[in-house]
Amino acid sequence: MGELDLIVRNGTIATASDVFRADIGIKNGRIVQIAEHIDADGTVVDAEGKFVLPGGIDSHVHISQPSGDGIVMADDFESGTRSALFGGNTTLMPFCLQEKGKSLREALKAYHALADGNCYTDISFHLIVNEPTEAVLGQELPALIEDGYSSLKVFMTYDDLRLSDAEILKTLDVARETGATVMVHCENEDAIRFLIEKHEAAGDVAPRAHATTRPAAVEREATHRALTLAEIVDVPVVIVHVSNGQAMEEIGRARARGVKVVGETCPQYLVLTADDLSGMDWEGAKFVCSPPPRDLAAQNECWLGIENGVFDLFSSDHCPFRYDDERGKLNPRGRLSFRHIPNGIPGVETRMPILFSEGVMKGRIDLQRFVALTATNHAKTYGLYPQKGAIAIGSDADLAIWDPKEKRTIRHAELHDGADYSPYEGMDVAGWPTTVILGGRIMVEDGVLKGKKGDGVYRAASTRRKA
């Protein structure tokens, strides 16, 4: 075939549907040949004894997001995408938060200024709709969706973010008309507020109270309500970071009624529990996220959802804050009450290794299901397929080469994010991505960074109508 830019030889390729042995030929950033043996000149990557998978797509990450007075996220786009790259990811989908009193376009301009020229992976933005005014819903949002910002997120919790049911219905209606995809954070804020007041009256304000003020019931109720609203409007939705079987049952019942719903879960709901929030000396603050981790029974329920198809997406919900920092978890007010501990945990680099180790290597899921959960379904859900999430002729040459024999103990000192801890510290994992290729460029080779910031670029996404 003449000269190629890059040839990946001798690997076992896995897609969401097949596993086979072949070489991959790459030119001008795209896959141009897949064959049993490619006879051409070009730089060779030997993948003997390893799996060659589509680069991971993490469609639920928070980077450089405004987080309240005096609180600063631990990752900017440089550190966040670098960390993601070392975890086998080639595309991230961060959220762009519309702040009160500002337009979505203003928010996007600010986020692009932070991201452009600083990324090690490709990125594509979701929009967080915070003020669904007539101007936003009638003019600005449809225009932005047409421009490639085709996925939105709405919140049912947090006083400064939550929308009313009426506002959610109007936003869903815009998605129905434009073909956009809507993600919903499902927790009942009024119920949470009631429980917070009860805890505070009893003087129960340690980090563990974060979990007991956000029980599974508040997630279940909100999930049911979100799916009912989507059913009324007749539009597909994504239910994000599902933590327990009760919410999973709501997804199953909605699907039985004909509602089109995508389910997502995260590593924290497979390997952490609410007991982790009980750490001494306020250590439990490290595990504060919403919804909170549950118990072992909920872990098993989420694993069942991974195995049987309730969940289509496996994301990190990477939302990093430093622990021992007055601008992070231990800010002056956060040291005194769980209410003021920033919500979120780091995990973009460990997302796929945890699922590979606990899922593939322990026989819970096969390689095809792993690829679907970590890459292909994300691309299909959010309008990036088949450019992303596939190993096919014409697709972007985004590849992660996994060594199933690589065994590691997760240590934050060996990770690449901007936080100062990992919630998965000390966890043993089997299998790790040792070489990562983005658009035909070798970004990580044998665990060593070869690419540079700015190699990753913004990618527009298609709507459901165009995909």
Side-chain angles (χ1 to χ4, degrees):
M1 186 168 179
E3 186 172 351
L4 297 170
D5 297 330
L6 193 67
I7 305 167
V8 179
R9 293 199 190 279
N10 306 320
T12 298
I13 298 170
T15 69
S17 58
D18 298 295
V19 177
F20 56 97
R21 190 173 174 87
D23 293 350
I24 300 173
I26 298 166
K27 193 170 184 66
N28 297 327
R30 300 289 181 95
I31 296 172
V32 296
Q33 190 176 6
I34 301 172
E36 183 175 352
H37 177 72
I38 295 176
D39 185 13
D41 296 326
T43 301
V44 172
V45 174
D46 187 2
E48 181 69 43
K50 298 176 182 177
F51 298 122
V52 182
L53 312 182
I57 301 173
D58 195 339
S59 60
H60 194 145
V61 297
H62 303 265
I63 296 174
S64 291
Q65 186 172 302
S67 303
D69 291 341
I71 305 300
V72 178
M73 275 199 166
D75 274 324
D76 57 17
F77 281 89
E78 179 179 355
S79 63
T81 58
R82 182 178 62 237
S83 181
L85 187 74
F86 274 94
N89 300 281
T90 52
T91 302
L92 292 191
M93 301 191 75
F95 293 97
C96 174
L97 170 64
Q98 177 198 18
E99 295 185 79
K100 295 288 188 182
K102 296 183 179 180
S103 70
L104 285 166
R105 283 200 180 275
E106 285 180 283
L108 277 168
K109 183 178 180 180
Y111 273 78
H112 273 292
L114 293 170
D116 293 350
N118 290 313
C119 294
Y120 287 92
T121 69
D122 284 353
I123 61 167
S124 187
F125 287 119
H126 304 298
L127 302 173
I128 294 178
V129 179
N130 197 5
E131 282 193 314
T133 62
E134 288 187 13
V136 167
L137 295 181
Q139 302 170 28
E140 188 177 38
L141 190 53
L144 288 173
I145 292 167
E146 183 67 24
D147 288 345
Y149 304 97
S150 62
S151 48
L152 330 170
K153 186 179 183 182
V154 298
F155 285 81
M156 304 175 82
T157 186
Y158 306 128
D159 276 341
D160 57 342
L161 287 174
R162 69 163 166 165
L163 305 187
S164 68
D165 285 0
E167 291 172 324
I168 292 173
L169 283 166
K170 292 176 182 178
T171 305
L172 289 173
D173 201 40
V174 172
R176 182 186 61 80
E177 293 172 352
T178 60
T181 299
V182 178
M183 312 159 76
V184 189
H185 179 137
C186 299
E187 290 182 291
N188 184 315
E189 178 64 21
D190 289 332
I192 293 166
R193 184 65 52 188
F194 168 79
L195 292 170
I196 287 174
E197 291 174 358
K198 299 279 282 187
H199 278 62
E200 289 182 327
D204 183 4
V205 294
R208 173 63 187 246
H210 175 78
T212 50
T213 56
R214 293 177 176 266
V218 306
E219 183 182 349
R220 180 196 69 222
E221 185 280 331
T223 301
H224 171 79
R225 186 156 38 98
L227 292 168
T228 300
L229 298 178
E231 185 177 5
I232 291 168
V233 178
D234 190 23
V235 66
V237 290
V238 182
I239 304 298
V240 296
H241 47 48
V242 175
S243 72
N244 65 86
Q246 296 179 35
M248 290 165 54
E249 288 171 358
E250 295 297 336
I251 291 173
R253 280 193 281 268
R255 284 175 175 165
R257 297 194 305 271
V259 180
K260 295 179 180 178
V261 52
V262 172
E264 175 199 82
T265 195
C266 310
Q268 50 267 40
Y269 308 121
L270 301 183
V271 298
L272 301 179
T273 71
D275 289 342
D276 290 307
L277 279 76
S278 300
M280 299 294 291
D281 298 325
W282 228 251
E283 286 276 325
K286 292 179 177 180
F287 302 92
V288 167
C289 60
S290 295
R294 306 297 181 185
D295 55 19
L296 292 177
Q299 280 186 7
N300 291 331
E301 290 161 354
C302 288
W303 271 115
L304 184 61
I306 287 279
E307 295 163 13
N308 67 15
V310 172
F311 296 125
D312 309 279
L313 307 176
F314 187 73
S315 306
S316 68
D317 194 6
H318 179 74
C319 188
F321 299 94
R322 292 180 64 82
Y323 169 66
D324 191 11
D325 192 320
E326 63 180 11
R327 300 178 302 168
K329 297 283 189 178
L330 296 187
N331 67 82
R333 293 197 300 167
R335 288 177 180 270
L336 302 176
S337 172
F338 72 96
R339 284 189 60 190
H340 304 295
I341 297 170
N343 259 279
I345 58 176
V348 71
E349 188 168 344
T350 49
R351 170 187 72 123
M352 291 206 294
I354 286 173
L355 185 62
F356 190 92
S357 180
E358 295 294 307
V360 177
M361 298 301 286
K362 292 188 177 180
R364 288 180 167 120
I365 58 173
D366 59 23
L367 270 175
Q368 298 99 304
R369 181 80 175 127
F370 176 81
V371 170
L373 285 163
T374 59
T376 306
N377 290 351
H378 299 256
K380 289 182 174 180
T381 299
Y382 298 115
L384 295 173
Y385 187 84
Q387 182 182 9
K388 304 291 187 182
I391 296 178
I393 303 300
S395 295
D396 284 1
D398 296 351
L399 305 170
I401 300 176
W402 286 73
D403 186 350
K405 297 179 181 178
E406 179 85 6
K407 294 183 178 181
R408 297 191 185 184
T409 299
I410 294 175
R411 306 289 186 198
H412 184 263
E414 298 172 3
L415 301 178
H416 301 83
D417 59 56
D420 58 354
Y421 77 98
S422 168
Y424 311 108
E425 186 79 17
M427 182 178 177
D428 294 325
V429 294
W432 201 276
T434 54
T435 295
V436 183
I437 298 167
L438 172 67
R441 296 183 299 276
I442 299 173
M443 299 294 291
V444 174
E445 186 173 26
D446 295 327
V448 177
L449 182 65
K450 298 292 186 178
K452 62 184 184 298
K453 71 174 184 177
D455 283 341
V457 298
Y458 166 75
R459 302 286 188 177
S462 298
T463 64
R464 285 178 286 108
R465 291 177 179 173
K466 298 175 183 176

